[in-house]
Amino acid sequence: MRITLDRDRCEGHGVCESAAPELFRLDDQGDLEFPLDGQEIPPPLRAAAADSVLICPVAALKLEG
């Protein structure tokens, strides 16, 4: 399972950070930090990652695989 981030769509609402703080973080400027962008999500974090994709209000996250 991989998640990709469309940075042009992301508006920095931080909902993904609330759902999966181990994966997502907003920096001081409100930009999303997602070090695993396009990389394999570790199995223990997959449920939270999938929840983040579903609750993103601007559909900036895409689930692959």
Side-chain angles (χ1 to χ4, degrees):
M1 165 196 267
R2 299 173 195 274
I3 293 178
T4 55
L5 168 63
D6 183 341
R7 293 193 182 275
D8 292 332
R9 289 189 77 127
C10 181
E11 295 178 355
H13 293 280
V15 190
C16 59
E17 181 182 25
S18 297
E22 308 87 351
L23 295 173
F24 304 99
R25 185 178 96 64
L26 291 178
D27 67 14
D28 293 337
Q29 289 76 41
D31 294 324
L32 185 61
E33 294 180 354
F34 178 42
L36 295 179
D37 189 4
Q39 297 179 31
E40 192 69 23
I41 303 295
L45 300 176
R46 288 182 182 171
D51 288 345
S52 298
V53 172
L54 292 174
I55 63 174
C56 179
V58 295
L61 300 171
K62 181 180 178 186
L63 182 64
E64 300 174 351

